[in-house]
Amino acid sequence: MTAPTVTRRAGGPDDAVGGVAPREVVRPGTVEEVADVLRAAAADGLTVVPVGGRSKLTWAAPPSSCDLLLDVTGLDRVVEHVAGDLTVVAEAGVRLADLQAQLGQAGQLLGLDPPEDGATLGGVVSANASGPRRLHYGTTRDLLIGTTVVLADGTVAHAGGKVVKNVAGYDLGKLYTGAHGTLGVVVSTTWRLHPVPPARRLVTLELPDVAAAGPLSVALARSTLTPSAVELIGTAGGPGRLVVLFESIAESVTDQARATVALLGGGEESEELPADLGRRPGGADDVLLRLAHVPAALSPVLRALPAGTAVAAHAATGVSYAAVPAGEAVDVLPRLRAAVAEHDGTAIVLRAPEGLVDRLDHWGPVGDALDLMRRVKERFDPERRMSPGRFVGGL
Amino acid sequence: MTAIAEPDTSQRTAALAERLRAAVGTERVLTDRTQVRTYECDGLANFKVTPAIVVLAENRQHVVDTVRLCSEAGVPFVARGSGTGLSGGALPRADGVLLVTSRLRSIGAVDADNRQVTVEPGVINLWVTRDATPFDLAYAPDPSSQLVCSIGGNVAENAGGAHCLKYGFTVNHVLGAEVVLPDGEVVHLGGRAPEHPGYDLLGAFIGSEGTLGVATELTLRLIRVPEAVQTMLVGYRSVEDAAGTVSDIIAAGIVPAAVEMMDALAIEAAEAAVSCGYPEGAVAVLVIELDGPEVEVEAQFRQVEEIARRRNAFETRIAADAAERALMWKGRKSAFAAVGRISPSYFVQDGVIPRTKLPEVLAEIDRMADERGLRVANVFHAGDGNLHPLVLFDDAVEGQAHEAEELAGAILELCITSGGSITGEHGVGQEKRMKMGKQFTAEDLDTMQLVRCAFDPDGIANPGKVFPTPRLCGERPGVHKGEHPVQAAGLGEVF
């Protein structure tokens, strides 16, 4: 059913996505081979779940079916890095860390820093993963300027291009961002890059109450300071640590760190990045949630969490992560969703211990555009073969 | 329009006009030919179509009622804001409704802590910054028409402006939208908070040029006014040196807020119009703006000055205050209109190339213009490679308009073959839809149509724009090549 260079093998328990083991795992090496696989899968009526580094397999709901696990890590070429244009074209299976290392040699970077080890570009796009520096650089939707996808029927489609400013046609890159493989397989990505800043300085402020970070991050946002990240690490109802990161020329980071200490009323200056900066909170026994809310609502959102919940918040952006103890999650989640809804907020489950997944509503309420989303899915994948059931509303 | 369709159309639109009057009020529905002719084109005046009906909506319900009635009657509609678009995106349909949203002008309170504001689509771009200024905030997207263009139009075209290089374009500054879908249903895409679960339909909607629905409310992100802004005007004796300066600035790791370039002809035009006092004898000028923390701006400004000097700049002026900065920008922002002073007519193009290709592409444009005996003035966003060649011509000279149009088209194809795009901010609209097939494959365009069909299965939202070879929503992409048999037989056109 597939081209001769495609690696294929039987699926096993180690390949399971959300507890669903695939019948077969295929690892194509080229875009054309991905198209071949999908055409063949379409002919055989097979369901397909694309994966990259498998670092975010739990970020979407478990699939209702997974005949074929489509591993894109064979698509691992950095196709074109044009330093003068600050752009790079790289295949979906390229690991983000590897790309950053290569770009770094030219003094450039891709402004995405999700902490998941082994993450591939395709996975970062499909899961819309981001980290602390989203405050400064934005997220996938801001940095992805072109993409190639293979649709459910094997059609290879490009969108966007290689130039930063481009408004020709629909911006389909946005549509594939965060779609969790339900609209096709992302096979290639083109990015806008930034220069690596020459200097760095951090201000770390210990907070007796983590919720105090709310007004402080608003004060930072309303100032003329330009931090790359404002990261809060702590426990709900308990103490926390606010880390403000500056990355620019030496004179600027020194000045801004000093001004930040004055603005926050304290804080220690340093140059080393703490090892846990940007790490998701909690452990494998917890239910990891991503909370989104209007940025200034950080304090009330933190107060809505059960005391003792580990949190890591990209303060000033309106995105926070919380690790709710597994025993409390079923009760807590609906209450938390009601509380964050007051701040236009949402809470989605990124990871839950085995056995609990089925008892949690993964995505929560979606809003009045769900029917339109269904129509989009229906057009792109009428037979519901791409990552079925993984997305909002059972899409 | 076919001879057979005409009577049907007029009867259908007459009946629709009656229903619209009942729904939104007689005074808001125009059908009088002299009145509706006011709306026969947008900023691209070489395409003109008189709309059958114009609706002057004043609130969301008027938009909903109009769209719903159009949907029920199967009559196409085109939304229009201030009408400053430059690609014919708001060109009306002779058999349809032109839905004017420019009276929806309410601006919500600025939410300073969350750095956002919710506005209606008819709000003028510059009003947002005006309202945000007391809070030290601003709305970043600033098309040259920002004094008159509306937010709804900016969103439809994803219109950017001079500061896209650092701040991104409109799509990066719209957090949420209330949208009336082509069947009259109201949906909310995005919101005031980030990361709403579901497909990023807001991202697809922005820049869709009115083909996916009509926005009735938009939540915009505001940026903090930077601590310092510095602007310099640099004069060069060659275009290559000016373009080389742009590349060197980027190579030095500096991301300016804006880098704008004008060539000799554009300078001549701007001087004739607004006496902006650009360096005498300059063959090219750059307007370079840096913003951010004061210490950063100062250090990088010195670096930029040094780079410009090494690239043989013969005059560098630094704006001492806001008034001088405004004058530097005035020359640049008035350049399009100013070209009217030195040429009876012109076509303005909007293409994008990778920044590193600037010198060779500009030289090639020159060569192509010489070959045809025409003049091209270049004024553009050099930092992100967004060219705006102005092809000058005299319509009194037989055939010259046609020659100029061909040259403008050839320049766009040069942008595509250089790895760029046919539009950076003006949109595809009516004007450039036939070029879409040069930039994208049939499969790419079919995939875009999947989105279109999900939003607008009956194809009544701004049909005939953006796409060159429309398809019917029942088709599967990649299956049918070329013209659909139904279209070929002249039996129907959905888009």
Side-chain angles (χ1 to χ4, degrees), chain A residues 189-212:
Chain A
T189 55
T190 305
W191 302 91
R192 168 188 187 179
L193 305 175
H194 284 87
V196 174
R200 166 172 75 215
R201 201 145 177 90
L202 300 94
V203 174
T204 305
L205 179 69
E206 302 295 337
L207 302 169
D209 174 8
V210 79

mmCIF file of all heavy atoms in Angstrom, chain A residues 189-212:
data_model
loop_
_atom_site.group_PDB
_atom_site.id
_atom_site.type_symbol
_atom_site.label_atom_id
_atom_site.label_comp_id
_atom_site.label_asym_id
_atom_site.label_seq_id
_atom_site.Cartn_x
_atom_site.Cartn_y
_atom_site.Cartn_z
ATOM 1 N N THR A 189 7.143 23.497 7.094
ATOM 2 C CA THR A 189 6.811 24.759 7.742
ATOM 3 C C THR A 189 7.817 25.826 7.330
ATOM 4 O O THR A 189 8.992 25.522 7.124
ATOM 5 C CB THR A 189 6.880 24.606 9.277
ATOM 6 O OG1 THR A 189 8.181 24.109 9.634
ATOM 7 C CG2 THR A 189 5.829 23.627 9.791
ATOM 8 N N THR A 190 7.367 27.054 7.202
ATOM 9 C CA THR A 190 8.261 28.178 6.917
ATOM 10 C C THR A 190 8.048 29.223 8.006
ATOM 11 O O THR A 190 6.903 29.544 8.349
ATOM 12 C CB THR A 190 7.963 28.777 5.538
ATOM 13 O OG1 THR A 190 8.034 27.734 4.573
ATOM 14 C CG2 THR A 190 8.958 29.865 5.173
ATOM 15 N N TRP A 191 9.152 29.704 8.542
ATOM 16 C CA TRP A 191 9.068 30.549 9.737
ATOM 17 C C TRP A 191 9.761 31.889 9.557
ATOM 18 O O TRP A 191 10.763 31.996 8.868
ATOM 19 C CB TRP A 191 9.751 29.840 10.915
ATOM 20 C CG TRP A 191 9.190 28.511 11.245
ATOM 21 C CD1 TRP A 191 9.605 27.298 10.754
ATOM 22 C CD2 TRP A 191 8.103 28.225 12.137
ATOM 23 N NE1 TRP A 191 8.841 26.295 11.305
ATOM 24 C CE2 TRP A 191 7.917 26.823 12.156
ATOM 25 C CE3 TRP A 191 7.273 29.021 12.931
ATOM 26 C CZ2 TRP A 191 6.941 26.203 12.923
ATOM 27 C CZ3 TRP A 191 6.309 28.405 13.697
ATOM 28 C CH2 TRP A 191 6.144 27.011 13.692
ATOM 29 N N ARG A 192 9.229 32.840 10.274
ATOM 30 C CA ARG A 192 9.901 34.122 10.447
ATOM 31 C C ARG A 192 10.859 33.977 11.627
ATOM 32 O O ARG A 192 10.498 33.447 12.673
ATOM 33 C CB ARG A 192 8.838 35.166 10.768
ATOM 34 C CG ARG A 192 9.409 36.443 11.232
ATOM 35 C CD ARG A 192 8.360 37.416 11.721
ATOM 36 N NE ARG A 192 9.073 38.653 11.963
ATOM 37 C CZ ARG A 192 8.530 39.773 12.373
ATOM 38 N NH1 ARG A 192 7.244 39.834 12.573
ATOM 39 N NH2 ARG A 192 9.253 40.838 12.567
ATOM 40 N N LEU A 193 12.088 34.431 11.460
ATOM 41 C CA LEU A 193 13.102 34.304 12.511
ATOM 42 C C LEU A 193 13.428 35.656 13.152
ATOM 43 O O LEU A 193 13.020 36.703 12.649
ATOM 44 C CB LEU A 193 14.384 33.703 11.914
ATOM 45 C CG LEU A 193 14.224 32.370 11.185
ATOM 46 C CD1 LEU A 193 15.540 31.950 10.550
ATOM 47 C CD2 LEU A 193 13.713 31.288 12.139
ATOM 48 N N HIS A 194 14.167 35.595 14.233
ATOM 49 C CA HIS A 194 14.639 36.805 14.907
ATOM 50 C C HIS A 194 16.133 36.674 15.194
ATOM 51 O O HIS A 194 16.631 35.556 15.339
ATOM 52 C CB HIS A 194 13.884 37.012 16.225
ATOM 53 C CG HIS A 194 12.492 37.535 16.025
ATOM 54 N ND1 HIS A 194 11.414 36.697 15.803
ATOM 55 C CD2 HIS A 194 11.995 38.798 15.994
ATOM 56 C CE1 HIS A 194 10.321 37.436 15.652
ATOM 57 N NE2 HIS A 194 10.641 38.707 15.758
ATOM 58 N N PRO A 195 16.814 37.802 15.316
ATOM 59 C CA PRO A 195 18.223 37.735 15.730
ATOM 60 C C PRO A 195 18.333 37.289 17.196
ATOM 61 O O PRO A 195 17.462 37.612 18.003
ATOM 62 C CB PRO A 195 18.721 39.168 15.550
ATOM 63 C CG PRO A 195 17.512 40.032 15.478
ATOM 64 C CD PRO A 195 16.379 39.180 15.021
ATOM 65 N N VAL A 196 19.396 36.546 17.514
ATOM 66 C CA VAL A 196 19.638 36.174 18.911
ATOM 67 C C VAL A 196 20.068 37.429 19.664
ATOM 68 O O VAL A 196 21.010 38.104 19.246
ATOM 69 C CB VAL A 196 20.748 35.103 19.015
ATOM 70 C CG1 VAL A 196 21.103 34.834 20.472
ATOM 71 C CG2 VAL A 196 20.315 33.818 18.327
ATOM 72 N N PRO A 197 19.381 37.770 20.746
ATOM 73 C CA PRO A 197 19.784 38.974 21.488
ATOM 74 C C PRO A 197 21.144 38.771 22.139
ATOM 75 O O PRO A 197 21.442 37.671 22.621
ATOM 76 C CB PRO A 197 18.696 39.134 22.555
ATOM 77 C CG PRO A 197 17.729 38.032 22.361
ATOM 78 C CD PRO A 197 18.252 37.071 21.346
ATOM 79 N N PRO A 198 21.987 39.787 22.160
ATOM 80 C CA PRO A 198 23.351 39.613 22.649
ATOM 81 C C PRO A 198 23.477 39.466 24.168
ATOM 82 O O PRO A 198 24.453 38.909 24.644
ATOM 83 C CB PRO A 198 24.079 40.877 22.166
ATOM 84 C CG PRO A 198 23.010 41.873 21.875
ATOM 85 C CD PRO A 198 21.778 41.102 21.517
ATOM 86 N N ALA A 199 22.534 39.971 24.916
ATOM 87 C CA ALA A 199 22.690 39.923 26.381
ATOM 88 C C ALA A 199 21.375 39.564 27.059
ATOM 89 O O ALA A 199 20.305 39.672 26.456
ATOM 90 C CB ALA A 199 23.191 41.272 26.900
ATOM 91 N N ARG A 200 21.501 39.131 28.322
ATOM 92 C CA ARG A 200 20.325 38.674 29.055
ATOM 93 C C ARG A 200 20.448 39.102 30.510
ATOM 94 O O ARG A 200 21.548 39.149 31.062
ATOM 95 C CB ARG A 200 20.295 37.149 28.970
ATOM 96 C CG ARG A 200 19.349 36.480 29.919
ATOM 97 C CD ARG A 200 19.259 35.012 29.624
ATOM 98 N NE ARG A 200 20.445 34.302 30.080
ATOM 99 C CZ ARG A 200 20.978 33.258 29.461
ATOM 100 N NH1 ARG A 200 20.458 32.807 28.346
ATOM 101 N NH2 ARG A 200 22.037 32.660 29.955
ATOM 102 N N ARG A 201 19.360 39.434 31.126
ATOM 103 C CA ARG A 201 19.364 39.710 32.566
ATOM 104 C C ARG A 201 17.990 39.364 33.131
ATOM 105 O O ARG A 201 16.969 39.577 32.467
ATOM 106 C CB ARG A 201 19.711 41.175 32.837
ATOM 107 C CG ARG A 201 20.220 41.409 34.225
ATOM 108 C CD ARG A 201 21.292 42.502 34.289
ATOM 109 N NE ARG A 201 21.686 42.727 35.673
ATOM 110 C CZ ARG A 201 22.677 42.060 36.274
ATOM 111 N NH1 ARG A 201 23.388 41.186 35.597
ATOM 112 N NH2 ARG A 201 22.965 42.304 37.539
ATOM 113 N N LEU A 202 17.997 38.803 34.336
ATOM 114 C CA LEU A 202 16.733 38.407 34.962
ATOM 115 C C LEU A 202 16.554 39.115 36.287
ATOM 116 O O LEU A 202 17.535 39.426 36.983
ATOM 117 C CB LEU A 202 16.713 36.902 35.258
ATOM 118 C CG LEU A 202 16.861 35.948 34.094
ATOM 119 C CD1 LEU A 202 18.308 35.554 33.900
ATOM 120 C CD2 LEU A 202 15.998 34.727 34.315
ATOM 121 N N VAL A 203 15.299 39.333 36.623
ATOM 122 C CA VAL A 203 14.968 39.808 37.962
ATOM 123 C C VAL A 203 14.040 38.769 38.570
ATOM 124 O O VAL A 203 13.034 38.396 37.966
ATOM 125 C CB VAL A 203 14.264 41.188 37.916
ATOM 126 C CG1 VAL A 203 13.801 41.589 39.305
ATOM 127 C CG2 VAL A 203 15.192 42.237 37.323
ATOM 128 N N THR A 204 14.392 38.273 39.739
ATOM 129 C CA THR A 204 13.577 37.261 40.408
ATOM 130 C C THR A 204 13.057 37.828 41.722
ATOM 131 O O THR A 204 13.824 38.323 42.541
ATOM 132 C CB THR A 204 14.420 36.000 40.691
ATOM 133 O OG1 THR A 204 14.983 35.567 39.452
ATOM 134 C CG2 THR A 204 13.564 34.892 41.281
ATOM 135 N N LEU A 205 11.751 37.752 41.854
ATOM 136 C CA LEU A 205 11.118 38.284 43.062
ATOM 137 C C LEU A 205 10.341 37.170 43.751
ATOM 138 O O LEU A 205 9.487 36.527 43.122
ATOM 139 C CB LEU A 205 10.175 39.437 42.684
ATOM 140 C CG LEU A 205 9.406 40.102 43.818
ATOM 141 C CD1 LEU A 205 10.348 40.886 44.728
ATOM 142 C CD2 LEU A 205 8.319 41.028 43.265
ATOM 143 N N GLU A 206 10.664 36.928 45.010
ATOM 144 C CA GLU A 206 9.917 35.919 45.773
ATOM 145 C C GLU A 206 8.628 36.550 46.283
ATOM 146 O O GLU A 206 8.636 37.667 46.794
ATOM 147 C CB GLU A 206 10.752 35.425 46.961
ATOM 148 C CG GLU A 206 12.094 34.815 46.580
ATOM 149 C CD GLU A 206 11.975 33.513 45.767
ATOM 150 O OE1 GLU A 206 10.922 32.840 45.853
ATOM 151 O OE2 GLU A 206 12.937 33.181 45.035
ATOM 152 N N LEU A 207 7.519 35.816 46.130
ATOM 153 C CA LEU A 207 6.220 36.340 46.557
ATOM 154 C C LEU A 207 5.642 35.420 47.634
ATOM 155 O O LEU A 207 5.539 34.218 47.419
ATOM 156 C CB LEU A 207 5.246 36.379 45.384
ATOM 157 C CG LEU A 207 5.642 37.200 44.162
ATOM 158 C CD1 LEU A 207 4.695 36.916 42.999
ATOM 159 C CD2 LEU A 207 5.635 38.685 44.506
ATOM 160 N N PRO A 208 5.263 35.988 48.793
ATOM 161 C CA PRO A 208 4.639 35.149 49.822
ATOM 162 C C PRO A 208 3.307 34.574 49.338
ATOM 163 O O PRO A 208 2.932 33.470 49.691
ATOM 164 C CB PRO A 208 4.420 36.095 50.992
ATOM 165 C CG PRO A 208 5.016 37.404 50.614
ATOM 166 C CD PRO A 208 5.385 37.398 49.179
ATOM 167 N N ASP A 209 2.621 35.355 48.503
ATOM 168 C CA ASP A 209 1.352 34.877 47.942
ATOM 169 C C ASP A 209 1.437 34.971 46.422
ATOM 170 O O ASP A 209 1.617 36.047 45.863
ATOM 171 C CB ASP A 209 0.190 35.730 48.464
ATOM 172 C CG ASP A 209 -1.134 35.363 47.799
ATOM 173 O OD1 ASP A 209 -1.178 34.348 47.058
ATOM 174 O OD2 ASP A 209 -2.110 36.105 47.999
ATOM 175 N N VAL A 210 1.268 33.822 45.788
ATOM 176 C CA VAL A 210 1.422 33.742 44.341
ATOM 177 C C VAL A 210 0.496 34.725 43.600
ATOM 178 O O VAL A 210 0.843 35.259 42.539
ATOM 179 C CB VAL A 210 1.194 32.264 43.922
ATOM 180 C CG1 VAL A 210 -0.278 31.931 43.881
ATOM 181 C CG2 VAL A 210 1.850 31.934 42.616
ATOM 182 N N ALA A 211 -0.671 34.993 44.187
ATOM 183 C CA ALA A 211 -1.658 35.850 43.526
ATOM 184 C C ALA A 211 -1.184 37.300 43.400
ATOM 185 O O ALA A 211 -1.725 38.067 42.594
ATOM 186 C CB ALA A 211 -2.999 35.788 44.241
ATOM 187 N N ALA A 212 -0.167 37.651 44.182
ATOM 188 C CA ALA A 212 0.372 39.012 44.077
ATOM 189 C C ALA A 212 0.993 39.263 42.705
ATOM 190 O O ALA A 212 1.227 40.413 42.315
ATOM 191 C CB ALA A 212 1.411 39.246 45.176
#
